[in-house]
Amino acid sequence: MTKRKTVLFWIFYPLISLLALAFILFYFDLANGPMVLFVLELVALVLGMIFRFLLRNKKFLFRMIPSFSFLLVSVILISFSKPAIERKRGVSHSQVVETDTLTLKNGDIKGLYSEDQKVEVYTGIPYAKAPVGDLRWKEPQDVENWQGVKDCTYFAPRAMQQDGSAVMSTLVDIYSAKGWYPDYHMNPRQDMSEDCLYLNIWRPHTEETNLPILFYIHGGSLTSGTTGFDDYNGEEMARHGVIFINVAYRLGVFGFFANEELKNESSNHTTGNYGLLDQIKALQWVNDNAEYFHGDKSNITIAGESAGSSCVSALCTSPLAKGLFKRAIGESSSLAIKNPPHTYRNLDDAYKLDKKIMDEFRCSSIQEMRKIKAEDLIKTSFAPQQVSLDGYVLEKQPYEVYQEKNNNEEILLNGFNVKEADAFVVPKFLFSPTNKDNIKERLADYFNEDIANKLVQVYEKEIKEDAFSTFNEIISVYWFMNPHHEWSRIALDAGVKVYSYQFTKENRYHSNYHAGELIYAYGNVRHDKHSYRYDDSDIKLSDMMVTYWSNFAKTGNPNSSSLPTWREYSVSENNLLEFGNEVKEITDPYLKTYPIIQEYMDGQK
């Protein structure tokens, strides 16, 4: 090798290698790759550079061996850079202490104490038989009694669901945080199984009885989610004197598949709502077992966020859930509106879509469909993510039940976040952001030309200032704010007391986007693993929201003397409580948009 080539080698080869290392370093973090993989990659790079130097005078083919070897090692390490699949323990601390035995209706269980031993945590409690084999796509069956003491120290597996890309999830986090905060820790995913009908209990470590119960339904578009998510861990709610229970239910094709053969097979002539039936079964289990874990079955509040909130609005109007709970909390979704914009379909539409699933798997009968492995079935391209008007779980559309004043809840707390739709809309137009020149066309695609014209006129000033944010706001109002606005009004007409809110607090993570309020409302801000995300103002707001939510679960009134007054919702005042840098009453800021959106909704079939 000439002197000139040697100089070029020492300039460009390390530079190219370091660029490759930087890319792989970034990828390892995106894919939840652990630090050990980066160390191995660094060793491979150093060895590659050494051997490349030693072979510098050899023929080209030999000189390229270290580079090709480094590339091969990188590919192998990248293939291993993905989350592990593990069972998740019911508590996060390492010095675990088991609880005394707790006797339930079906048998004895043991759980774990929180680190301060003020909360008892029982995870993975079965509330129904495993919905597998012949029980796939059937109403949930009573759980059988068990012998001995069941170990309830780990969360049960998640319901079957397609796992999204870990790389994409981390990119969303980077977008949300507006910055990259690498940690190089393996963040394992919870295991999953078709055998998923389990619930978890967090209760105060006390001899006090008749404690209020908060029954939480997780979100995830009815196709994903887990009861083990840290943002709605129930320890803090239990410290506030409330028994917190969350429930897993069948998702996607397992929970919301609709088929006429299944309807005829059912003694109740139902199909399409197996996930809702699971939730109702879990509520029945809670009512049957409340006295065993010191709960008051006459003081149950159901709660949910996103698709979980859609389920809450469905349970508020299902005849099967009548008498099983007293109050409801709905966060960021509602079906209590004519022509809901998502999470709902009539049965004929369900049959048509889900026929495509059978065709996809080349099945002509339900018997054949039940033989398909669960791991294959979740790969369907047509995963159902809507509840159906089946005539059994839902006899009528939810808004009709409210109009007839046959709804189930006495008091409703509900609301939305200021940037609900951003996480859904921004990725769609990532490489072609909305601007003042294309916003009208895009609104027409979502609605129609007439509605688009009206929206552009109403938002003329805002579009000139920031068309990107204005478009996102309009879609947020369409998908989220308007359904909650209608839910509040129709519930009030039905004689229900209503408390409404808007969440606007910004932080360095999910901020005030969809699901951003969860970690605040259930008290997990101070327990977040990434300290850069939140500051003292976030902890203060979380403490206030937990107090409001727990007070509501206890008495139906979220107020206390230590908090700003949260007045009941009034149709004439359209008053909301804003959870932001301040907690204060505001007038609903979307009143000018609701009539236009509702005009469009009323025109739908």
Side-chain angles (χ1 to χ4, degrees), residues 97-103 108-113 120 122 149 203 205 207:
V97 178
E98 291 186 354
T99 65
D100 294 334
T101 299
L102 174 65
T103 298
D108 296 335
I109 63 172
K110 66 176 179 180
L112 297 172
Y113 285 110
E120 299 172 21
Y122 304 92
V149 179
R203 72 166 189 172
H205 180 48
E207 294 300 317

Side-chain angles (χ1 to χ4, degrees), residues 238-513:
R239 289 190 181 92
H240 280 68
V242 176
I243 296 175
F244 183 88
I245 298 175
N246 65 11
V247 58
Y249 54 98
R250 283 173 282 183
L251 300 169
V253 68
F254 299 95
F256 300 94
F257 178 76
N259 177 272
E260 290 187 78
E261 185 181 344
L262 287 171
K263 182 176 181 179
N264 295 331
E265 181 183 278
S266 167
S267 60
N268 299 306
H269 301 291
T270 180
T271 186
N273 287 327
Y274 305 103
L276 281 178
L277 285 165
D278 294 341
Q279 295 164 20
I280 293 168
K281 189 69 173 178
L283 269 172
Q284 292 170 342
W285 185 96
V286 170
N287 275 262
D288 291 342
N289 283 273
E291 63 179 304
Y292 291 96
F293 52 79
H294 295 179
D296 182 358
K297 69 178 182 179
S298 67
N299 195 12
I300 297 175
T301 299
I302 63 171
E305 185 272 338
S306 191
S309 183
S310 293
C311 292
V312 165
S313 62
L315 294 179
C316 285
T317 57
S318 172
L320 304 184
K322 188 168 289 293
L324 295 179
F325 63 93
K326 191 172 186 177
R327 294 179 285 271
I329 299 174
E331 303 168 35
S332 301
S333 273
S334 169
L335 301 182
I337 179 175
K338 187 177 181 181
N339 298 315
H342 53 73
T343 327
Y344 174 85
R345 58 184 178 169
N346 63 49
L347 203 54
D348 287 339
D349 289 339
Y351 287 154
K352 291 175 184 176
L353 176 66
D354 296 350
K355 175 64 166 59
K356 295 179 181 179
I357 298 176
M358 295 188 69
D359 293 342
E360 182 182 23
F361 288 95
R362 299 179 181 178
C363 292
S364 58
S365 70
I366 291 302
Q367 184 179 6
E368 292 178 1
M369 287 288 288
R370 285 190 172 122
K371 292 180 181 179
I372 297 174
K373 292 180 180 179
E375 294 78 10
D376 295 329
L377 203 52
I378 59 170
K379 298 175 183 176
T380 176
S381 304
F382 308 99
Q385 53 188 112
Q386 303 92 9
V387 302
S388 302
L389 183 60
D390 65 331
Y392 176 63
V393 180
L394 295 178
E395 292 183 341
K396 298 179 180 179
Q397 288 196 44
Y399 86 96
E400 294 177 311
V401 177
Y402 276 103
Q403 286 180 333
E404 296 172 2
K405 301 183 179 181
N406 287 328
N407 51 294
N408 298 328
E409 84 280 20
E410 297 177 4
I411 311 175
L412 172 66
L413 186 158
N414 81 119
F416 44 79
N417 300 350
V418 68
K419 293 181 181 177
E420 289 281 9
D422 285 56
F424 305 99
V425 174
V426 172
K428 181 177 180 180
F429 300 113
L430 186 62
F431 300 105
S432 178
T434 302
N435 56 53
K436 59 185 177 62
D437 296 321
N438 61 26
I439 186 172
K440 183 176 177 181
E441 178 184 351
R442 290 185 175 172
L443 288 172
D445 288 340
Y446 272 87
F447 305 102
N448 57 48
E449 191 169 341
D450 179 53
I451 296 298
N453 285 331
K454 292 179 179 179
L455 288 168
V456 168
Q457 290 174 6
V458 168
Y459 279 93
E460 181 179 5
K461 179 182 177 182
E462 291 88 342
I463 290 172
K464 288 180 180 179
E465 294 176 353
D466 187 350
F468 176 85
S469 297
T470 301
F471 177 77
N472 296 346
E473 177 180 310
I474 292 171
I475 303 305
S476 292
V477 175
Y478 171 39
W479 285 345
F480 299 98
M481 284 74 156
N482 188 55
H484 276 282
H485 176 68
E486 290 298 310
W487 193 6
S488 292
R489 295 168 71 88
I490 202 168
L492 203 63
D493 288 343
V496 174
K497 291 182 179 180
V498 178
Y499 295 91
S500 294
Y501 72 87
Q502 181 180 34
F503 181 84
T504 63
K505 183 71 170 71
E506 294 185 353
N507 56 54
R508 301 176 81 178
Y509 190 46
H510 279 164
S511 192
N512 44 36
Y513 297 96

